Amino acid sequence: MQTPEPFTHLEHEPLLDHHHHHPPPQTTTKPLFTRVVSGVTFVLFFFAFAIVFIVLTQQNSSVRIVTNSEKSFVRYSQADRLSWERTAFHFQPAKNFIYDPNGPLFHMGWYHLFYQYNPYAPVWGNMSWGHSVSKDMINWYELPVAMVPTKWYDIEGVLSGSTTVLPNGQIFALYTGNAKDFSQLQCKAAPVNLSDPLLIEWVKYDDNPILYTPPGIGLMDYRDPSTVWTGPDGKHRMIMGSKRGNTGMVLVYHTTDYTNYELLDEPLHSVPNTDMWECVDFYPVSLTNDSALDMAAYGSGIKHVIKESWEGHGMDWYSIGTYDAINDKWTPDNPELDVGIGLRCDYGKFFASKSLYDPLKKRRITWGYVGESDSVDQDLSRGWATVYNVGRTIVLDRKTGTHLLHWPVEEVESLRYNGQEFKEIELEPGSIIPLDIGTATQLDIVATFEVDQAALNATSETDDIYGCTTSLGAAQRGSLGPFGLAVLADGTLSELTPVYFYIAKKADGGVSTHFCTDKLRSSLDYDGERVVYGSTVPVLDDEELTMRLLVDHSIVEGFAQGGRTVITSRVYPTKAIYEQAKLFLFNNATGTSVKASLKIWQMASAQIHQYSF
Ligand SMILES: OC[C@H]1O[C@@](CO)(OC[C@@]2(O[C@H]3O[C@H](CO)[C@@H](O)[C@H](O)[C@H]3O)O[C@H](CO)[C@@H](O)[C@@H]2O)[C@@H](O)[C@@H]1O
């Protein structure tokens, strides 16, 4: 580890108060001579400045130095800003638009990722199955598009679906075809050559579609077929998301040949007022260890998770419960945490996730798409839109029993370099401290925070209704929070994205801990989401407060308490980019000091290229 430079407090900079304004400069009346000299000086200075400006901009069209009386800063062109926004270690193809992850699978040493892809433009449309492969889920090769709309039953889009790898090595895909009238029909396809490790060529089944919408279900409320698995009774099953009225649900099918599917009378599960369940995912988790389970696992020591993506809301919800395979029914452990009303996979931008059981490392990994929140014009100018999270392992949080833990795959740590350690930094109430780490645009940060226990016990302030999303963000000060890190901040804090904890003492004497990301001042330019994201995070008695942040240009992934609560955000700074992006520690609480310890690594760029044949 390198020894960092000592910290310096920023003097007279605004804290995290977005109502802060610098006082206007004072004016005085000057003698005539002084005014003339000042005027001439001003004109000369102006011309000198203009010449320097022109020379600089001719030499380097991207960066222009602007000076004001106090300090110099860099103003970036629109083109530079847009090119900075491209991520360095998050999956995204070279260009155009990606959407739901589809049918991840492992075959002959390669992780395959398929995804909703528009090959022609950085907006939704022409939905096809894009295809990339990786050995480590960090470095990717982009392959030719696997399936495009060609048939009457999918001419408006080869929509989302899954792949199944059978025990005999056969592989097939199930997907939703978007027909000319936009009705959603279920289809089958298979790789042409199983001995090709890259599974380049796919062929659609001759007898498609294999399933039409059942009676009582809307023609456009029936999509995204799952991986097929075999239950303890030897029957093969497939599920799909749907809705009746406003009740979201999972339909269950049985099959004997993987081509003909029989719908069961009752859904696996349904919840009123949760609307259409898109991209449903269903998988077992172990109650005894962190080793993931294949879909077929069943019996004691196992729970089953249902995940659904709420149409039109951009939110993925999960619930933990018990699966009765004999009756094809699932029951939530806690009805208050049922599907779509309890817990979310991620409280920021993360949608349509799909998981893979990795037979190599015995783990379950999930990806969702992390959409843009700036304007479509920006997407068009950039030539790409949407990125994926770094693949996340999913395990049951056996300490709480109520939550899942979502955590970046260990392979991402291979990109770490130049680690620095900061130990027990004292943060007084109202302090903000820059961390001298050099460039701060590609980072992996692990931070722990220790709150002054005496202050916590002593505070009489209670707040039973605090919520990240309804708060004023990091500017809202309470006795015991907020404190955390401000990422992608410029030196003057005119742009910053604080990720923080906020502890609220409750009237009954307990506390609730909130984990939030404040996007209110992330960008001085357009961002369709000037919001505060977040939720509560359980903190057990023997636990410290910990967060991990992955900062990668326009995406920030935040994981609290080992991944119990996760927040992913897209941010589009205009000033806090390239070498002007800085990292700050802050404590904006009024009634407690906080001790912070951190490990911070720079992150190398992943290799994401077209595969050359
Ligand atoms: O790409 C289709 C898959 O995406 C999912 C979930 O993300 O469904 C999204 C959905 O809406 C898209 O299409 C709309 C145009 O019809 C567009 O307005 C919207 O912005 C898009 O997100 O796609 C289907 C088909 O169009 C529609 O029913 C959904 O709302 C997934 O369920 C699809 O398989």
Side-chain angles (χ1 to χ4, degrees), residues 258-277:
Y258 306 106
T259 300
N260 296 291
Y261 291 82
E262 184 196 338
L263 177 63
L264 304 195
D265 290 342
E266 292 288 317
L268 179 76
H269 190 60
S270 63
V271 181
N273 303 318
T274 54
D275 222 328
M276 172 71 197
W277 290 5

Side-chain angles (χ1 to χ4, degrees), residues 40-234:
V40 170
T41 310
F42 174 78
V43 171
L44 287 174
F45 178 78
F46 177 80
F47 279 112
F49 177 81
I51 289 164
V52 169
F53 178 84
I54 289 162
V55 169
L56 273 176
T57 50
Q58 290 301 312
Q59 282 175 346
N60 179 350
S61 63
S62 61
V63 176
R64 289 175 288 288
I65 310 294
V66 178
T67 346
N68 69 13
S69 55
E70 310 252 21
K71 56 181 77 109
S72 64
F73 60 92
V74 176
R75 182 159 287 164
Y76 295 97
S77 69
Q78 168 86 343
D80 283 331
R81 284 168 42 200
L82 295 180
S83 88
W84 178 87
E85 285 163 13
R86 190 169 177 87
T87 66
F89 59 92
H90 283 76
F91 174 75
Q92 56 176 130
K95 60 183 181 183
N96 294 325
F97 181 85
I98 54 169
Y99 219 39
D100 314 0
N102 296 149
L105 66 87
F106 182 77
H107 179 65
M108 295 175 77
W110 291 95
Y111 295 102
H112 290 248
L113 191 54
F114 302 89
Y115 37 87
Q116 290 286 281
Y117 182 53
N118 183 349
Y120 306 112
V123 293
W124 193 90
N126 309 298
M127 281 294 125
S128 306
W129 273 36
H131 184 190
S132 290
V133 289
S134 173
K135 290 271 182 192
D136 58 8
M137 293 184 259
I138 300 299
N139 301 291
W140 295 91
Y141 287 113
E142 207 183 321
L143 297 175
V145 175
M147 288 190 278
V148 297
T150 48
K151 308 284 187 185
W152 68 267
Y153 52 79
D154 64 13
I155 199 68
E156 287 296 332
V158 178
L159 304 188
S160 289
S162 307
T163 55
T164 301
V165 182
L166 295 176
N168 67 6
Q170 292 294 311
I171 297 174
F172 63 88
L174 297 178
Y175 71 91
T176 301
N178 211 10
K180 186 128 204 79
D181 64 352
F182 299 100
S183 57
Q184 295 166 350
L185 307 168
Q186 311 318 315
C187 308
K188 187 173 174 180
V192 171
N193 179 7
L194 277 179
S195 61
D196 170 13
L198 302 182
L199 301 175
I200 303 284
E201 261 189 88
W202 286 71
V203 61
K204 294 173 188 170
Y205 183 62
D206 282 342
D207 291 337
N208 276 341
I210 56 169
L211 274 175
Y212 289 85
T213 320
I217 297 281
L219 292 178
M220 292 173 219
D221 303 329
Y222 178 62
R223 56 187 180 273
D224 312 333
S226 77
T227 298
V228 177
W229 80 94
T230 307
D233 51 7

Side-chain angles (χ1 to χ4, degrees), residues 366-421:
T366 187
W367 292 270
Y369 79 78
V370 184
E372 306 297 326
S373 59
D374 61 352
S375 67
V376 174
D377 283 350
Q378 310 262 60
D379 299 348
L380 293 169
S381 306
R382 263 196 307 260
W384 59 265
T386 310
V387 303
Y388 283 0
N389 58 292
V390 168
R392 294 173 186 164
T393 55
I394 308 175
V395 295
L396 179 69
D397 177 11
R398 282 175 284 118
K399 281 165 110 186
T400 62
T402 52
H403 284 60
L404 295 176
L405 299 175
H406 292 90
W407 194 247
V409 289
E410 62 188 9
E411 285 85 343
V412 76
E413 293 164 28
S414 67
L415 299 176
R416 289 172 169 176
Y417 69 100
N418 270 359
Q420 297 189 50
E421 192 158 7

Side-chain angles (χ1 to χ4, degrees), residues 435-455:
L435 292 175
D436 186 10
I437 55 156
T439 314
T441 53
Q442 293 176 211
L443 300 175
D444 188 349
I445 306 169
V446 176
T448 60
F449 297 89
E450 216 179 294
V451 176
D452 180 358
Q453 198 58 38

Side-chain angles (χ1 to χ4, degrees), residues 488-496 524 575-577 580-582 584:
L488 298 173
D490 69 314
T492 66
L493 298 177
S494 60
E495 284 181 328
L496 73 170
L524 292 168
K575 292 162 75 179
I577 58 178
Q580 299 303 312
K582 318 234 178 280
F584 291 82

